[in-house]
Amino acid sequence: MDILKDLRSSPMSRLQVRAVAVAIALMLIDGMDVAVAAYAAPALSKAWSLDPVTLGFLLSSGLVGMAAGSLILTPFSDKIERRRMMLLALILVSTGMVLSVFAGDVIQLMAYRVLAGLGIGGMIANLNVFVSEYSSDKRRGSIFGLFTSGFAIGATLGGFIAGPLIPHFGWRSVFAVGAAASIIMLAVTWRFLPESLEYLVSKRPPNALARMNALLLQMRRPALAELPKTPEEQQAQRGIRDLFAGRMAIQSLLLWTGYGLMIAAYYFASTWTPKLIATSSGDDSLGVTMGLVVNFGGIIGCFVFSILAVFLRSRHLLLGSLLVSALTYVVFGMTFNQTSLAIVIGAVLGVVTSANVAGFYATTPTLFPAALRGTGIGWMVGIGRLVSILSPILVGYLLAGGWKAENVFILFGIPLVVSALAMVTIWSLTSRKPAGEQVSETVRVG
């Protein structure tokens, strides 16, 4: 009997629920840590007299670290164990957040944001794998909706914290709160996050059988006499170079394009919207309010995705949300200077952009075999981050060159349409794979 397949088709145990809950909590911390720079941007740019281009580089510095973390750190999760990689990533995040509190100038703050981003990048892709492997087939799409909501909830909490803290204690206070939350989650992860079962089966580290039986005991499952055999195609996986072999190469390139363009639009909205609204209205508090509205819409979007995934295939939800979000960016640009209407459209923008992220997280892990999953998702997120790094910087140059904020929003509708086309092509290719090349995919996820 295939124990992993049996677990995926059975109701989730308490251990599985706990693993997913820890992953969602970690996404909440990630969302808070990423968003604090956007919320601090208006006060920070005034305190240090930053021009739009410099501010764009500062907002992108965390994305630089996230790209490096996804590309460099995440593949090690397939080598040094996924739980251990998660703890290392959290140490980097906590260190970067603590140092950010004491930054003396913009160069130092950029460096510390890169360090924190390095940990976040190594963590997010790894979390995707944990959630995919510990979720049941029936609930995976819905769980990924909840999982993605953690990021939006964290970003929203960051706004609620930043609103009262920054006027009284300055922009450093929000970094201090983020640092404390990261350290707390380091302790929680050490205590409650289990190792990946599929990692133990596919990589067979020392004492793998004993460790797997210990986890099965907590799941009230009978112990195994020996580890299950792994398919030959999984045993043959070696690492990054397998992403460029045969059809996998085409899939990887399309996936990087689709995810990269989607996440570039997402980070433009999440990093620049508070500042653009604050500048347009002359009211910094209104900028924070808009950031809250967008992120709260993101929470709603994740829950909507989670509910709809019970009834619809996640790939269909992703395609729909990508096309609707492209339209929403255009409409938001057209209503940007009508504050009341812009706030409403901003909430819709948050809904559809977060649904995009949930859709990618729900549909992409199963494109890769277990032995290559950490590397595959890590490179998807990493390449996406490399593309998204250019997003805040590009906006800074466009604004400095005389572009109006509303035209920038309209421009970002185009990448989302291209992203949708890339994903449709991937699904078409994977549906035509020979049976031996197919990677197990559930009805609700696909």
Side-chain angles (χ1 to χ4, degrees):
M1 179 180 67
D2 186 338
I3 183 62
L4 297 179
K5 183 177 180 180
D6 183 54
L7 287 172
R8 288 192 297 267
S9 61
S10 302
M12 293 175 61
S13 67
R14 183 175 299 178
L15 177 70
Q16 290 170 280
V17 172
R18 187 181 74 193
V20 170
V22 172
I24 292 173
L26 287 171
M27 278 293 280
L28 186 149
I29 298 302
D30 286 348
M32 180 183 295
D33 289 351
V34 170
V36 290
Y39 288 122
L44 181 59
S45 60
K46 287 183 178 180
W48 285 350
S49 301
L50 302 181
D51 60 80
V53 173
T54 303
L55 183 60
F57 275 98
L58 175 59
L59 293 174
S60 284
S61 59
L63 300 179
V64 172
M66 292 169 73
S70 297
L71 292 172
I72 299 171
L73 294 184
T74 304
F76 281 101
S77 67
D78 288 329
K79 302 180 184 298
I80 67 170
E81 301 184 8
R82 290 174 184 163
R83 181 178 180 275
R84 188 177 297 171
M85 186 69 255
M86 195 75 71
L87 294 171
L88 174 60
L90 271 168
I91 291 172
L92 293 175
V93 174
S94 301
T95 303
M97 292 298 291
V98 169
L99 291 174
S100 296
V101 178
F102 303 101
D105 55 44
V106 68
I107 299 300
Q108 288 184 11
L109 185 56
M110 284 183 185
Y112 301 149
R113 293 300 295 158
V114 169
L115 181 61
L118 189 69
I120 293 173
M123 189 189 309
I124 289 181
N126 212 12
L127 285 173
N128 294 352
V129 176
F130 264 97
V131 173
S132 178
E133 293 181 351
Y134 270 102
S135 300
S136 66
D137 286 346
K138 185 177 181 180
R139 300 300 179 193
R140 188 172 291 113
S142 296
I143 287 173
F144 265 104
L146 297 175
F147 169 68
T148 309
S149 74
F151 192 96
I153 291 171
T156 304
L157 286 176
F160 280 116
I161 293 168
L165 278 185
I166 292 177
H168 292 91
F169 302 103
W171 61 266
R172 297 179 191 271
S173 58
V174 291
F175 287 100
V177 172
S182 298
I183 293 171
I184 291 171
M185 280 310 303
L186 175 60
V188 171
T189 302
W190 176 272
R191 175 65 180 85
F192 294 110
L193 188 69
E195 182 55 84
S196 159
L197 287 174
E198 294 198 28
Y199 175 88
L200 295 175
V201 171
S202 63
K203 292 297 185 178
R204 302 174 184 261
N207 300 318
L209 179 60
R211 294 167 65 185
M212 186 160 186
N213 281 333
L215 292 174
L216 290 174
L217 179 63
Q218 295 182 59
M219 300 167 73
R220 298 186 177 182
R221 294 272 179 167
L224 301 176
E226 60 181 10
L227 289 173
K229 294 181 179 180
T230 55
E232 292 183 5
E233 66 269 16
Q234 291 191 19
Q235 294 176 358
Q237 300 295 340
R238 294 290 186 268
I240 294 172
R241 65 179 178 271
D242 290 283
L243 295 176
F244 305 98
R247 291 196 182 198
M248 186 70 74
I250 299 174
Q251 173 183 295
S252 297
L253 291 173
L254 288 170
L255 189 57
W256 296 346
T257 300
Y259 181 81
L261 293 175
M262 181 279 296
I263 208 68
Y266 175 88
Y267 276 109
F268 155 62
S270 61
T271 57
W272 268 105
T273 300
K275 171 62 177 173
L276 292 176
I277 291 292
T279 300
S280 175
S281 64
D283 184 355
D284 287 353
S285 63
L286 184 59
V288 173
T289 299
M290 178 57 81
L292 280 171
V293 167
V294 172
N295 285 309
F296 185 74
I299 298 173
I300 301 301
C302 293
F303 282 109
V304 169
F305 184 94
S306 181
I307 294 170
L308 292 179
V310 176
F311 308 101
L312 302 172
R313 301 181 76 183
S314 294
R315 63 173 58 177
H316 295 160
L317 292 175
L318 173 58
L319 178 60
S321 66
L322 285 170
L323 296 176
V324 172
S325 59
L327 177 62
T328 306
Y329 271 85
V330 174
V331 174
F332 188 75
M334 295 171 63
T335 60
F336 184 80
N337 293 315
Q338 304 173 44
T339 304
S340 299
L341 185 57
I343 289 176
V344 175
I345 303 300
V348 177
L349 188 69
V351 170
V352 291
T353 53
S354 288
N356 290 340
V357 179
F360 267 92
Y361 288 171
T363 58
T364 53
T366 51
L367 294 174
F368 302 95
L372 193 60
R373 197 163 290 152
T375 301
I377 297 301
W379 270 67
M380 179 195 79
V381 174
I383 295 296
R385 291 295 184 267
L386 287 176
V387 176
S388 64
I389 287 167
L390 301 176
S391 178
I393 297 174
L394 172 63
V395 173
Y397 277 109
L398 290 176
L399 293 173
W403 273 58
K404 294 182 179 180
E406 51 267 37
N407 292 333
V408 177
F409 276 96
I410 294 173
L411 174 67
F412 271 87
I414 298 173
L416 292 165
V417 175
V418 179
S419 176
L421 293 174
M423 294 311 297
V424 169
T425 305
I426 288 176
W427 297 326
S428 175
L429 289 174
T430 54
S431 67
R432 296 200 301 266
K433 280 185 178 181
E437 294 184 26
Q438 292 277 10
V439 178
S440 175
E441 190 172 6
T442 70
V443 172
R444 294 299 182 195
V445 173

